[in-house]
Amino acid sequence: MSHTHAQNPDARTPAIVRELGMIHERAAKDHQVGEPGLYSRIMVIVDDDIPSEGDTDSCYLTPVAPPQSGQGYYTLAAADGAARPPEISVDEAKLSQKDSEVATLLDAYEWVAEQGLAVAKQSIQVILISNIGPCTGCKARLQIFHRDLLDKAVEVESKVSISVESVYDTPEASRNRTRGKEIATTYGYPNAVQTPYTVSTQQGMYWRYRLPELQ
């Protein structure tokens, strides 16, 4: 499949809007029964190449992951997985361990580790795209994922820059909720940047948060 070459960050906007639209189509049935579930997909841009569906050689799109699809390394609840940080309670980790971000993070990490770092010359940009911003547990997972990518780059002696972002389009940048009737969580980032767009005749906005650079 073809992909495009981005000369600046704005060139990513049509692809981001396209993927947000696809994710909302998948979430439409959930809207019919109340609160929508969180669907997610990760776009891996390598050396400014923006992926389209089916690209795997030099850039990558993970499959759209539905709610309750998460499993494996980033659950923060598996003995042989990523370590749970102390600020995330055992209950929070368990309640969010099947969130869709868990699946997309592992998929994206495996592609970057096995393919992306081998082909990248200058940069890897990872964009988590979802219809709702990540919960408290998944924000911690995203930070762990970021560190894992940097560690892998060091391991294979790659000098490329690696950035990680979260993009979503809710009315507010963040919203406080309760999960499991007991565990408070915050969906989205309070300091996310509101980003307006015009694609063809379509106008709208999304929230964008770029994780701080790690040393």
Side-chain angles (χ1 to χ4, degrees):
M1 301 293 287
S2 63
H3 48 86
T4 59
H5 188 75
Q7 299 297 326
N8 56 68
D10 291 339
R12 303 175 307 174
T13 297
I16 288 172
V17 173
R18 176 193 71 207
E19 299 308 330
L20 281 168
M22 177 177 289
I23 286 168
H24 280 289
E25 285 182 14
R26 301 291 181 90
K29 291 183 179 180
D30 290 345
H31 280 274
Q32 296 174 7
V33 294
E35 187 68 23
L38 196 158
Y39 287 70
S40 62
R41 169 174 245 184
I42 284 179
M43 179 186 299
V44 183
I45 302 171
V46 178
D47 295 338
D48 287 340
D49 282 344
I50 299 174
S52 296
E53 196 77 46
D55 283 331
T56 60
D57 291 339
S58 61
C59 47
Y60 187 55
L61 271 173
T62 69
V64 176
Q68 299 298 307
S69 62
Q71 58 181 327
Y73 186 78
Y74 289 108
T75 61
L76 303 184
D80 58 348
R84 176 181 55 83
E87 66 270 19
I88 303 299
S89 69
V90 172
D91 288 339
E92 169 70 28
K94 287 181 177 179
L95 281 170
S96 60
Q97 65 180 315
K98 292 186 177 181
D99 286 359
S100 62
E101 295 97 327
V102 177
T104 55
L105 290 176
L106 181 57
D107 191 346
Y109 175 82
E110 290 178 342
W111 185 86
V112 172
E114 296 170 8
Q115 180 80 7
L117 286 169
V119 300
K121 304 299 183 183
Q122 296 180 326
S123 65
I124 294 177
Q125 302 170 63
V126 178
I127 306 177
L128 170 67
I129 301 173
S130 52
N131 56 317
I132 303 171
C135 69
T136 299
C138 287
K139 287 197 283 285
R141 293 180 176 96
L142 202 57
Q143 291 178 314
I144 295 168
F145 165 82
H146 191 190
R147 170 55 63 192
D148 287 347
L149 291 182
L150 295 177
D151 289 347
K152 186 64 179 181
V154 171
E155 179 185 323
V156 300
E157 300 182 344
S158 172
K159 303 296 185 181
V160 300
S161 65
I162 299 176
S163 63
V164 178
E165 298 179 43
S166 173
V167 167
Y168 51 96
D169 56 349
T170 51
E172 308 94 356
S174 64
R175 179 177 294 182
N176 297 324
R177 289 293 178 89
T178 300
R179 299 188 72 165
K181 299 182 179 180
E182 296 179 359
I183 306 301
T185 194
T186 299
Y187 288 94
Y189 295 89
N191 53 342
V193 176
Q194 190 175 42
T195 307
Y197 66 81
T198 300
V199 175
S200 298
T201 59
Q202 180 182 359
Q203 293 183 327
M205 57 75 58
Y206 53 76
W207 298 100
R208 174 186 169 198
Y209 178 80
R210 180 169 176 170
L211 271 64
E213 292 186 9
L214 299 174
Q215 300 299 320

